[in-house]
Amino acid sequence: MKNRISSIVLGLLLIAAGVSYAGNTLGFWDFTLFFRGWWTLIIIIPCIVSIIQRGVNGANAAGLIVGAALLLGAWDVIDLSLLRRLLVPLILILIGVSILLSNTRIKRAAVNAACVFGGVNIK
């Protein structure tokens, strides 16, 4: 199910990029693929796909936050010098939250079973 959702999201993103580029080529609107901070999408998109496929964890959440902060810095929404000064405290906070959340997760027991010439019911 999650792989299906990520395939749909990726497909919609590619269709949107194609329509935007075609509209620019035909003169319907002005669209540029390389905007300020476009390179941050290399960080943001894989993190979003990972969140959709595997759920939120410390690594993909941290990557998404860092990518979004860098994108906002490239757009001059936030001050990058302030972001650099807050980087270490933010990493420490994310690690602490990740440790707290890892202790609250429900552990599922894995069952490995093999059966030759018969059947078995595992509950």
Side-chain angles (χ1 to χ4, degrees):
M1 177 70 177
K2 290 182 181 182
N3 287 335
R4 175 98 174 118
I5 292 172
S6 63
S7 296
I8 291 171
V9 169
L10 182 60
L12 289 175
L13 285 174
L14 290 173
I15 290 170
V19 168
S20 300
Y21 189 70
N24 184 41
T25 302
L26 295 173
F28 294 145
W29 51 73
D30 185 27
F31 173 77
T32 57
L33 186 61
F34 298 108
F35 53 89
R36 285 185 313 163
W38 66 269
W39 55 271
T40 60
L41 295 179
I42 297 170
I43 301 170
I44 295 171
I45 291 174
C47 290
I48 291 173
V49 170
S50 175
I51 288 172
I52 292 170
Q53 288 180 342
R54 296 180 195 92
V56 179
N57 63 33
N60 57 25
L64 184 61
I65 291 169
V66 168
L70 290 172
L71 180 62
L72 292 174
W75 287 349
D76 295 327
V77 174
I78 59 174
D79 186 18
L80 280 179
S81 65
L82 177 65
L83 180 65
R84 284 187 200 111
R85 290 191 309 253
L86 289 176
L87 186 61
V88 172
L90 287 173
I91 290 172
L92 292 174
I93 291 169
L94 286 173
I95 291 171
V97 169
S98 176
I99 290 171
L100 288 175
L101 292 178
S102 69
N103 290 331
T104 60
R105 289 188 186 143
I106 298 172
K107 306 288 184 197
R108 294 188 181 137
V111 176
N112 291 327
C115 183
V116 179
F117 302 116
V120 66
N121 290 328
I122 300 174
K123 295 182 182 180

CSV table of all heavy atoms in Angstrom, one decimal, residues 5-72:
chain,number,residue,atom,x,y,z
A,5,ILE,N,1.3,4.3,-2.8
A,5,ILE,CA,1.1,5.7,-2.6
A,5,ILE,C,2.4,6.5,-3.1
A,5,ILE,O,2.2,7.5,-3.7
A,5,ILE,CB,0.9,6.0,-1.1
A,5,ILE,CG1,-0.5,5.4,-0.7
A,5,ILE,CG2,0.9,7.5,-0.8
A,5,ILE,CD1,-0.8,5.4,0.8
A,6,SER,N,3.6,6.0,-2.8
A,6,SER,CA,4.8,6.7,-3.2
A,6,SER,C,4.9,6.7,-4.7
A,6,SER,O,5.3,7.6,-5.3
A,6,SER,CB,6.0,6.0,-2.6
A,6,SER,OG,6.2,4.7,-3.0
A,7,SER,N,4.4,5.6,-5.4
A,7,SER,CA,4.4,5.6,-6.9
A,7,SER,C,3.5,6.6,-7.4
A,7,SER,O,3.8,7.3,-8.4
A,7,SER,CB,4.0,4.2,-7.4
A,7,SER,OG,5.0,3.2,-7.0
A,8,ILE,N,2.3,6.8,-6.8
A,8,ILE,CA,1.3,7.7,-7.2
A,8,ILE,C,1.9,9.2,-7.1
A,8,ILE,O,1.8,10.0,-7.9
A,8,ILE,CB,0.0,7.6,-6.5
A,8,ILE,CG1,-0.7,6.3,-6.9
A,8,ILE,CG2,-0.9,8.8,-6.7
A,8,ILE,CD1,-1.9,5.9,-6.1
A,9,VAL,N,2.5,9.4,-5.9
A,9,VAL,CA,3.1,10.7,-5.6
A,9,VAL,C,4.2,11.0,-6.6
A,9,VAL,O,4.2,12.1,-7.2
A,9,VAL,CB,3.6,10.8,-4.2
A,9,VAL,CG1,4.4,12.1,-4.0
A,9,VAL,CG2,2.5,10.8,-3.2
A,10,LEU,N,5.1,10.1,-6.9
A,10,LEU,CA,6.2,10.3,-7.8
A,10,LEU,C,5.6,10.5,-9.2
A,10,LEU,O,6.1,11.4,-10.0
A,10,LEU,CB,7.1,9.1,-7.8
A,10,LEU,CG,8.3,9.2,-8.7
A,10,LEU,CD1,9.2,10.4,-8.4
A,10,LEU,CD2,9.1,7.9,-8.7
A,11,GLY,N,4.6,9.7,-9.6
A,11,GLY,CA,4.0,9.9,-10.9
A,11,GLY,C,3.4,11.3,-11.1
A,11,GLY,O,3.5,11.9,-12.1
A,12,LEU,N,2.7,11.7,-10.0
A,12,LEU,CA,2.0,13.1,-10.1
A,12,LEU,C,3.1,14.2,-10.2
A,12,LEU,O,2.9,15.2,-10.9
A,12,LEU,CB,1.1,13.3,-8.9
A,12,LEU,CG,-0.2,12.4,-8.9
A,12,LEU,CD1,-0.9,12.6,-7.6
A,12,LEU,CD2,-1.1,12.8,-10.1
A,13,LEU,N,4.2,14.0,-9.4
A,13,LEU,CA,5.2,15.0,-9.5
A,13,LEU,C,5.8,15.1,-10.9
A,13,LEU,O,6.1,16.2,-11.4
A,13,LEU,CB,6.3,14.7,-8.5
A,13,LEU,CG,6.0,15.0,-7.0
A,13,LEU,CD1,7.1,14.5,-6.1
A,13,LEU,CD2,5.8,16.5,-6.8
A,14,LEU,N,6.1,14.0,-11.5
A,14,LEU,CA,6.6,14.0,-12.9
A,14,LEU,C,5.7,14.5,-13.9
A,14,LEU,O,6.1,15.3,-14.8
A,14,LEU,CB,7.0,12.5,-13.3
A,14,LEU,CG,8.2,12.0,-12.5
A,14,LEU,CD1,8.4,10.5,-12.9
A,14,LEU,CD2,9.5,12.8,-12.8
A,15,ILE,N,4.4,14.2,-13.7
A,15,ILE,CA,3.4,14.8,-14.6
A,15,ILE,C,3.3,16.3,-14.5
A,15,ILE,O,3.3,17.1,-15.5
A,15,ILE,CB,2.0,14.2,-14.4
A,15,ILE,CG1,2.0,12.7,-14.9
A,15,ILE,CG2,0.9,15.0,-15.1
A,15,ILE,CD1,0.7,11.9,-14.4
A,16,ALA,N,3.3,16.8,-13.2
A,16,ALA,CA,3.3,18.2,-13.0
A,16,ALA,C,4.5,18.9,-13.6
A,16,ALA,O,4.4,20.0,-14.2
A,16,ALA,CB,3.2,18.5,-11.5
A,17,ALA,N,5.7,18.3,-13.4
A,17,ALA,CA,6.9,18.9,-14.0
A,17,ALA,C,6.8,18.9,-15.5
A,17,ALA,O,7.2,19.9,-16.2
A,17,ALA,CB,8.1,18.1,-13.6
A,18,GLY,N,6.3,17.9,-16.1
A,18,GLY,CA,6.2,17.8,-17.6
A,18,GLY,C,5.2,18.9,-18.1
A,18,GLY,O,5.4,19.6,-19.1
A,19,VAL,N,4.0,19.0,-17.4
A,19,VAL,CA,3.0,20.0,-17.8
A,19,VAL,C,3.6,21.4,-17.7
A,19,VAL,O,3.4,22.3,-18.5
A,19,VAL,CB,1.7,19.8,-17.0
A,19,VAL,CG1,0.8,21.0,-17.2
A,19,VAL,CG2,1.0,18.5,-17.4
A,20,SER,N,4.3,21.6,-16.6
A,20,SER,CA,4.9,23.0,-16.3
A,20,SER,C,5.9,23.3,-17.4
A,20,SER,O,5.9,24.4,-17.9
A,20,SER,CB,5.5,23.0,-15.0
A,20,SER,OG,4.6,22.8,-13.9
A,21,TYR,N,6.7,22.4,-17.7
A,21,TYR,CA,7.8,22.6,-18.8
A,21,TYR,C,7.1,22.8,-20.1
A,21,TYR,O,7.5,23.7,-20.9
A,21,TYR,CB,8.7,21.4,-18.8
A,21,TYR,CG,9.9,21.6,-19.6
A,21,TYR,CD1,10.9,22.6,-19.3
A,21,TYR,CD2,10.1,20.9,-20.8
A,21,TYR,CE1,12.0,22.8,-20.1
A,21,TYR,CE2,11.2,21.1,-21.7
A,21,TYR,CZ,12.1,22.1,-21.3
A,21,TYR,OH,13.2,22.3,-22.1
A,22,ALA,N,6.1,22.0,-20.4
A,22,ALA,CA,5.4,22.2,-21.7
A,22,ALA,C,4.7,23.5,-21.8
A,22,ALA,O,4.7,24.2,-22.9
A,22,ALA,CB,4.4,21.0,-21.9
A,23,GLY,N,4.1,23.9,-20.7
A,23,GLY,CA,3.4,25.3,-20.7
A,23,GLY,C,4.4,26.4,-20.9
A,23,GLY,O,4.1,27.4,-21.6
A,24,ASN,N,5.6,26.2,-20.4
A,24,ASN,CA,6.6,27.2,-20.5
A,24,ASN,C,7.1,27.2,-22.0
A,24,ASN,O,7.3,28.3,-22.6
A,24,ASN,CB,7.8,26.9,-19.6
A,24,ASN,CG,8.9,28.0,-19.7
A,24,ASN,OD1,8.6,29.2,-19.7
A,24,ASN,ND2,10.1,27.6,-19.7
A,25,THR,N,7.3,26.1,-22.6
A,25,THR,CA,7.7,26.0,-24.0
A,25,THR,C,6.7,26.6,-24.9
A,25,THR,O,7.0,27.2,-25.9
A,25,THR,CB,7.9,24.5,-24.3
A,25,THR,OG1,8.9,24.0,-23.5
A,25,THR,CG2,8.4,24.3,-25.8
A,26,LEU,N,5.4,26.4,-24.6
A,26,LEU,CA,4.3,26.9,-25.5
A,26,LEU,C,4.0,28.4,-25.2
A,26,LEU,O,3.2,29.0,-25.9
A,26,LEU,CB,3.1,26.1,-25.3
A,26,LEU,CG,3.2,24.6,-25.8
A,26,LEU,CD1,2.0,23.8,-25.5
A,26,LEU,CD2,3.4,24.6,-27.3
A,27,GLY,N,4.6,28.9,-24.2
A,27,GLY,CA,4.4,30.3,-23.8
A,27,GLY,C,3.2,30.6,-23.0
A,27,GLY,O,2.8,31.8,-22.9
A,28,PHE,N,2.6,29.6,-22.4
A,28,PHE,CA,1.4,29.8,-21.5
A,28,PHE,C,1.8,30.5,-20.2
A,28,PHE,O,1.1,31.3,-19.7
A,28,PHE,CB,0.7,28.5,-21.2
A,28,PHE,CG,0.1,27.9,-22.4
A,28,PHE,CD1,0.1,26.5,-22.5
A,28,PHE,CD2,-0.4,28.6,-23.4
A,28,PHE,CE1,-0.5,25.9,-23.6
A,28,PHE,CE2,-1.0,28.0,-24.5
A,28,PHE,CZ,-1.0,26.6,-24.6
A,29,TRP,N,3.0,30.2,-19.7
A,29,TRP,CA,3.5,30.8,-18.4
A,29,TRP,C,5.0,30.7,-18.4
A,29,TRP,O,5.6,30.1,-19.2
A,29,TRP,CB,2.9,30.1,-17.2
A,29,TRP,CG,3.0,28.6,-17.2
A,29,TRP,CD1,4.1,27.9,-17.0
A,29,TRP,CD2,2.0,27.7,-17.4
A,29,TRP,NE1,3.9,26.6,-17.1
A,29,TRP,CE2,2.5,26.4,-17.3
A,29,TRP,CE3,0.6,27.8,-17.7
A,29,TRP,CZ2,1.8,25.2,-17.5
A,29,TRP,CZ3,-0.1,26.6,-17.9
A,29,TRP,CH2,0.5,25.4,-17.8
A,30,ASP,N,5.5,31.4,-17.4
A,30,ASP,CA,7.0,31.4,-17.2
A,30,ASP,C,7.3,30.5,-16.1
A,30,ASP,O,7.0,30.6,-15.0
A,30,ASP,CB,7.5,32.9,-16.9
A,30,ASP,CG,9.0,32.9,-16.8
A,30,ASP,OD1,9.6,32.1,-17.5
A,30,ASP,OD2,9.5,33.8,-16.1
A,31,PHE,N,8.0,29.4,-16.5
A,31,PHE,CA,8.4,28.4,-15.6
A,31,PHE,C,9.9,28.1,-15.7
A,31,PHE,O,10.4,27.8,-16.8
A,31,PHE,CB,7.6,27.1,-15.8
A,31,PHE,CG,8.0,25.9,-15.0
A,31,PHE,CD1,7.7,25.8,-13.7
A,31,PHE,CD2,8.8,24.9,-15.6
A,31,PHE,CE1,8.1,24.7,-12.9
A,31,PHE,CE2,9.2,23.8,-14.9
A,31,PHE,CZ,8.9,23.7,-13.5
A,32,THR,N,10.6,28.1,-14.6
A,32,THR,CA,12.0,27.7,-14.7
A,32,THR,C,12.2,26.5,-13.7
A,32,THR,O,11.7,26.6,-12.6
A,32,THR,CB,13.0,28.8,-14.3
A,32,THR,OG1,12.6,29.3,-13.0
A,32,THR,CG2,12.9,30.0,-15.3
A,33,LEU,N,12.9,25.5,-14.2
A,33,LEU,CA,13.1,24.3,-13.4
A,33,LEU,C,14.1,24.6,-12.3
A,33,LEU,O,14.0,24.1,-11.2
A,33,LEU,CB,13.6,23.2,-14.2
A,33,LEU,CG,13.8,21.8,-13.6
A,33,LEU,CD1,12.4,21.4,-13.0
A,33,LEU,CD2,14.3,20.8,-14.6
A,34,PHE,N,15.1,25.5,-12.5
A,34,PHE,CA,16.2,25.7,-11.6
A,34,PHE,C,15.9,27.1,-10.9
A,34,PHE,O,16.3,28.1,-11.4
A,34,PHE,CB,17.5,25.8,-12.3
A,34,PHE,CG,17.9,24.4,-12.9
A,34,PHE,CD1,17.9,24.3,-14.3
A,34,PHE,CD2,18.2,23.4,-12.1
A,34,PHE,CE1,18.2,23.0,-14.8
A,34,PHE,CE2,18.5,22.1,-12.6
A,34,PHE,CZ,18.5,22.0,-14.0
A,35,PHE,N,15.2,27.0,-9.8
A,35,PHE,CA,14.9,28.2,-8.9
A,35,PHE,C,16.0,28.2,-7.8
A,35,PHE,O,16.7,27.3,-7.6
A,35,PHE,CB,13.5,28.1,-8.4
A,35,PHE,CG,13.2,26.8,-7.7
A,35,PHE,CD1,13.5,26.7,-6.3
A,35,PHE,CD2,12.7,25.7,-8.3
A,35,PHE,CE1,13.2,25.5,-5.6
A,35,PHE,CE2,12.4,24.5,-7.7
A,35,PHE,CZ,12.7,24.4,-6.3
A,36,ARG,N,16.0,29.3,-7.1
A,36,ARG,CA,16.9,29.4,-6.0
A,36,ARG,C,16.6,28.3,-5.0
A,36,ARG,O,15.5,28.2,-4.5
A,36,ARG,CB,16.7,30.8,-5.3
A,36,ARG,CG,17.3,31.9,-6.0
A,36,ARG,CD,17.3,33.2,-5.3
A,36,ARG,NE,15.9,33.4,-4.7
A,36,ARG,CZ,15.6,34.2,-3.7
A,36,ARG,NH1,16.6,34.9,-3.1
A,36,ARG,NH2,14.4,34.3,-3.2
A,37,GLY,N,17.6,27.5,-4.7
A,37,GLY,CA,17.5,26.5,-3.7
A,37,GLY,C,17.0,25.2,-4.3
A,37,GLY,O,16.6,24.3,-3.6
A,38,TRP,N,17.0,25.0,-5.6
A,38,TRP,CA,16.4,23.8,-6.2
A,38,TRP,C,17.2,22.6,-5.8
A,38,TRP,O,16.6,21.5,-5.7
A,38,TRP,CB,16.5,23.9,-7.8
A,38,TRP,CG,17.9,24.0,-8.3
A,38,TRP,CD1,18.7,25.1,-8.5
A,38,TRP,CD2,18.7,22.8,-8.6
A,38,TRP,NE1,19.9,24.7,-9.0
A,38,TRP,CE2,20.0,23.3,-9.0
A,38,TRP,CE3,18.5,21.4,-8.6
A,38,TRP,CZ2,21.0,22.5,-9.4
A,38,TRP,CZ3,19.6,20.6,-9.0
A,38,TRP,CH2,20.8,21.2,-9.4
A,39,TRP,N,18.5,22.7,-5.5
A,39,TRP,CA,19.3,21.6,-5.1
A,39,TRP,C,18.8,21.0,-3.7
A,39,TRP,O,19.1,19.8,-3.4
A,39,TRP,CB,20.7,22.0,-5.0
A,39,TRP,CG,20.9,23.2,-4.1
A,39,TRP,CD1,20.9,24.5,-4.5
A,39,TRP,CD2,21.2,23.2,-2.7
A,39,TRP,NE1,21.1,25.3,-3.4
A,39,TRP,CE2,21.3,24.5,-2.3
A,39,TRP,CE3,21.3,22.2,-1.7
A,39,TRP,CZ2,21.5,24.9,-0.9
A,39,TRP,CZ3,21.6,22.5,-0.4
A,39,TRP,CH2,21.7,23.8,0.0
A,40,THR,N,18.1,21.7,-2.9
A,40,THR,CA,17.6,21.2,-1.7
A,40,THR,C,16.5,20.1,-1.9
A,40,THR,O,16.3,19.3,-1.0
A,40,THR,CB,17.0,22.3,-0.8
A,40,THR,OG1,15.9,22.9,-1.5
A,40,THR,CG2,18.0,23.3,-0.4
A,41,LEU,N,15.9,20.1,-3.1
A,41,LEU,CA,15.0,19.0,-3.4
A,41,LEU,C,15.6,17.7,-3.4
A,41,LEU,O,15.0,16.7,-3.2
A,41,LEU,CB,14.3,19.4,-4.7
A,41,LEU,CG,13.4,20.6,-4.7
A,41,LEU,CD1,12.8,20.8,-6.1
A,41,LEU,CD2,12.3,20.5,-3.7
A,42,ILE,N,16.9,17.7,-3.7
A,42,ILE,CA,17.7,16.4,-3.6
A,42,ILE,C,17.7,15.8,-2.2
A,42,ILE,O,17.8,14.6,-2.0
A,42,ILE,CB,19.1,16.6,-4.1
A,42,ILE,CG1,19.1,17.1,-5.6
A,42,ILE,CG2,20.0,15.4,-4.0
A,42,ILE,CD1,20.4,17.6,-6.1
A,43,ILE,N,17.5,16.7,-1.2
A,43,ILE,CA,17.4,16.2,0.2
A,43,ILE,C,16.0,16.0,0.5
A,43,ILE,O,15.6,14.9,1.2
A,43,ILE,CB,18.0,17.3,1.1
A,43,ILE,CG1,19.5,17.5,0.8
A,43,ILE,CG2,17.8,16.8,2.6
A,43,ILE,CD1,20.1,18.7,1.5
A,44,ILE,N,15.1,16.9,0.1
A,44,ILE,CA,13.7,16.8,0.6
A,44,ILE,C,12.9,15.7,0.0
A,44,ILE,O,12.2,15.0,0.7
A,44,ILE,CB,13.0,18.2,0.2
A,44,ILE,CG1,13.7,19.3,1.1
A,44,ILE,CG2,11.5,18.1,0.5
A,44,ILE,CD1,13.2,20.7,0.7
A,45,ILE,N,13.0,15.5,-1.3
A,45,ILE,CA,12.2,14.5,-2.0
A,45,ILE,C,12.4,13.0,-1.5
A,45,ILE,O,11.5,12.3,-1.2
A,45,ILE,CB,12.3,14.6,-3.5
A,45,ILE,CG1,11.6,15.9,-4.0
A,45,ILE,CG2,11.6,13.4,-4.2
A,45,ILE,CD1,11.7,16.2,-5.4
A,46,PRO,N,13.7,12.6,-1.4
A,46,PRO,CA,13.9,11.3,-0.9
A,46,PRO,C,13.4,11.1,0.6
A,46,PRO,O,12.9,10.0,0.9
A,46,PRO,CB,15.5,11.1,-0.9
A,46,PRO,CG,15.9,12.0,-2.0
A,46,PRO,CD,15.0,13.2,-1.9
A,47,CYS,N,13.5,12.1,1.4
A,47,CYS,CA,13.0,12.1,2.7
A,47,CYS,C,11.5,11.9,2.7
A,47,CYS,O,10.9,11.1,3.5
A,47,CYS,CB,13.4,13.3,3.5
A,47,CYS,SG,15.2,13.4,3.9
A,48,ILE,N,10.8,12.6,1.9
A,48,ILE,CA,9.3,12.5,1.8
A,48,ILE,C,8.9,11.1,1.3
A,48,ILE,O,8.0,10.5,1.9
A,48,ILE,CB,8.7,13.6,0.9
A,48,ILE,CG1,8.9,15.0,1.5
A,48,ILE,CG2,7.3,13.3,0.5
A,48,ILE,CD1,8.5,16.1,0.6
A,49,VAL,N,9.7,10.6,0.3
A,49,VAL,CA,9.4,9.2,-0.2
A,49,VAL,C,9.6,8.2,0.9
A,49,VAL,O,8.8,7.3,1.1
A,49,VAL,CB,10.2,8.9,-1.4
A,49,VAL,CG1,10.1,7.5,-1.8
A,49,VAL,CG2,9.8,9.8,-2.6
A,50,SER,N,10.7,8.4,1.7
A,50,SER,CA,11.0,7.5,2.8
A,50,SER,C,9.9,7.5,3.9
A,50,SER,O,9.5,6.5,4.5
A,50,SER,CB,12.4,7.8,3.4
A,50,SER,OG,12.6,7.1,4.6
A,51,ILE,N,9.4,8.7,4.2
A,51,ILE,CA,8.3,8.9,5.2
A,51,ILE,C,7.1,8.2,4.7
A,51,ILE,O,6.4,7.5,5.4
A,51,ILE,CB,8.0,10.4,5.4
A,51,ILE,CG1,9.2,10.9,6.3
A,51,ILE,CG2,6.7,10.5,6.2
A,51,ILE,CD1,9.1,12.4,6.4
A,52,ILE,N,6.8,8.3,3.4
A,52,ILE,CA,5.6,7.6,2.8
A,52,ILE,C,5.8,6.1,2.9
A,52,ILE,O,4.8,5.4,3.2
A,52,ILE,CB,5.3,8.1,1.4
A,52,ILE,CG1,4.8,9.6,1.4
A,52,ILE,CG2,4.2,7.3,0.7
A,52,ILE,CD1,4.8,10.2,0.1
A,53,GLN,N,6.9,5.6,2.5
A,53,GLN,CA,7.2,4.2,2.4
A,53,GLN,C,7.3,3.5,3.8
A,53,GLN,O,6.8,2.4,4.0
A,53,GLN,CB,8.4,3.9,1.5
A,53,GLN,CG,8.1,4.1,0.1
A,53,GLN,CD,9.4,3.8,-0.7
A,53,GLN,OE1,10.5,3.7,-0.2
A,53,GLN,NE2,9.2,3.6,-2.0
A,54,ARG,N,8.1,4.1,4.6
A,54,ARG,CA,8.5,3.4,5.9
A,54,ARG,C,8.0,4.1,7.1
A,54,ARG,O,8.2,3.6,8.2
A,54,ARG,CB,10.0,3.3,6.0
A,54,ARG,CG,10.6,2.5,4.9
A,54,ARG,CD,12.1,2.5,5.0
A,54,ARG,NE,12.7,2.0,3.8
A,54,ARG,CZ,13.1,2.7,2.8
A,54,ARG,NH1,13.0,4.0,2.8
A,54,ARG,NH2,13.7,2.2,1.7
A,55,GLY,N,7.4,5.2,7.0
A,55,GLY,CA,6.9,6.0,8.2
A,55,GLY,C,8.0,6.9,8.7
A,55,GLY,O,9.1,6.9,8.2
A,56,VAL,N,7.6,7.7,9.6
A,56,VAL,CA,8.6,8.8,10.1
A,56,VAL,C,9.6,8.1,11.1
A,56,VAL,O,9.2,7.3,11.9
A,56,VAL,CB,7.8,9.9,10.9
A,56,VAL,CG1,8.8,10.9,11.4
A,56,VAL,CG2,6.8,10.5,9.9
A,57,ASN,N,10.9,8.4,10.8
A,57,ASN,CA,11.9,8.0,11.8
A,57,ASN,C,12.8,9.2,11.9
A,57,ASN,O,12.7,10.2,11.3
A,57,ASN,CB,12.6,6.7,11.4
A,57,ASN,CG,13.3,6.8,10.1
A,57,ASN,OD1,13.9,7.9,9.7
A,57,ASN,ND2,13.4,5.7,9.3
A,58,GLY,N,13.8,9.1,12.8
A,58,GLY,CA,14.7,10.2,13.0
A,58,GLY,C,15.5,10.7,11.8
A,58,GLY,O,15.6,11.9,11.6
A,59,ALA,N,15.9,9.7,11.0
A,59,ALA,CA,16.8,10.1,9.9
A,59,ALA,C,16.0,10.9,8.8
A,59,ALA,O,16.4,11.9,8.3
A,59,ALA,CB,17.4,8.9,9.2
A,60,ASN,N,14.8,10.3,8.4
A,60,ASN,CA,14.1,11.0,7.4
A,60,ASN,C,13.4,12.3,7.9
A,60,ASN,O,13.3,13.3,7.1
A,60,ASN,CB,13.0,10.1,6.7
A,60,ASN,CG,12.0,9.5,7.6
A,60,ASN,OD1,11.7,10.0,8.7
A,60,ASN,ND2,11.5,8.4,7.2
A,61,ALA,N,13.1,12.4,9.1
A,61,ALA,CA,12.5,13.6,9.7
A,61,ALA,C,13.6,14.7,9.8
A,61,ALA,O,13.4,15.9,9.4
A,61,ALA,CB,12.0,13.4,11.1
A,62,ALA,N,14.8,14.3,10.2
A,62,ALA,CA,16.0,15.3,10.3
A,62,ALA,C,16.3,15.7,8.8
A,62,ALA,O,16.6,16.9,8.6
A,62,ALA,CB,17.2,14.6,10.9
A,63,GLY,N,16.4,14.8,7.9
A,63,GLY,CA,16.7,15.2,6.5
A,63,GLY,C,15.6,16.2,5.9
A,63,GLY,O,16.0,17.2,5.3
A,64,LEU,N,14.4,15.9,6.2
A,64,LEU,CA,13.3,16.8,5.8
A,64,LEU,C,13.4,18.2,6.4
A,64,LEU,O,13.3,19.2,5.7
A,64,LEU,CB,11.9,16.2,6.1
A,64,LEU,CG,10.7,16.9,5.5
A,64,LEU,CD1,10.8,17.1,4.0
A,64,LEU,CD2,9.4,16.2,6.0
A,65,ILE,N,13.7,18.2,7.7
A,65,ILE,CA,13.8,19.5,8.4
A,65,ILE,C,15.0,20.3,7.9
A,65,ILE,O,14.9,21.5,7.6
A,65,ILE,CB,13.9,19.3,9.9
A,65,ILE,CG1,12.5,18.8,10.4
A,65,ILE,CG2,14.3,20.6,10.6
A,65,ILE,CD1,12.6,18.3,11.9
A,66,VAL,N,16.1,19.6,7.7
A,66,VAL,CA,17.3,20.3,7.2
A,66,VAL,C,17.1,20.8,5.8
A,66,VAL,O,17.5,21.9,5.4
A,66,VAL,CB,18.6,19.3,7.3
A,66,VAL,CG1,19.8,19.9,6.5
A,66,VAL,CG2,18.9,19.1,8.8
A,67,GLY,N,16.5,19.9,4.9
A,67,GLY,CA,16.3,20.3,3.6
A,67,GLY,C,15.3,21.5,3.5
A,67,GLY,O,15.5,22.4,2.7
A,68,ALA,N,14.3,21.5,4.3
A,68,ALA,CA,13.3,22.6,4.3
A,68,ALA,C,14.0,23.9,4.8
A,68,ALA,O,13.7,25.0,4.2
A,68,ALA,CB,12.1,22.2,5.1
A,69,ALA,N,14.8,23.7,5.8
A,69,ALA,CA,15.5,24.9,6.4
A,69,ALA,C,16.4,25.5,5.3
A,69,ALA,O,16.5,26.7,5.2
A,69,ALA,CB,16.2,24.6,7.6
A,70,LEU,N,17.2,24.7,4.6
A,70,LEU,CA,18.1,25.2,3.6
A,70,LEU,C,17.3,25.8,2.4
A,70,LEU,O,17.7,26.8,1.9
A,70,LEU,CB,19.0,24.0,3.1
A,70,LEU,CG,20.0,23.5,4.1
A,70,LEU,CD1,20.7,22.3,3.5
A,70,LEU,CD2,21.0,24.6,4.4
A,71,LEU,N,16.2,25.2,2.1
A,71,LEU,CA,15.3,25.8,1.0
A,71,LEU,C,14.8,27.2,1.5
A,71,LEU,O,14.9,28.2,0.7
A,71,LEU,CB,14.2,24.9,0.7
A,71,LEU,CG,13.2,25.4,-0.4
A,71,LEU,CD1,13.9,25.6,-1.7
A,71,LEU,CD2,12.0,24.5,-0.5
A,72,LEU,N,14.3,27.3,2.7
A,72,LEU,CA,13.9,28.6,3.2
A,72,LEU,C,15.0,29.6,3.3
A,72,LEU,O,14.8,30.8,3.1
A,72,LEU,CB,13.2,28.4,4.6
A,72,LEU,CG,11.9,27.6,4.5
A,72,LEU,CD1,11.4,27.4,6.0
A,72,LEU,CD2,10.8,28.4,3.7
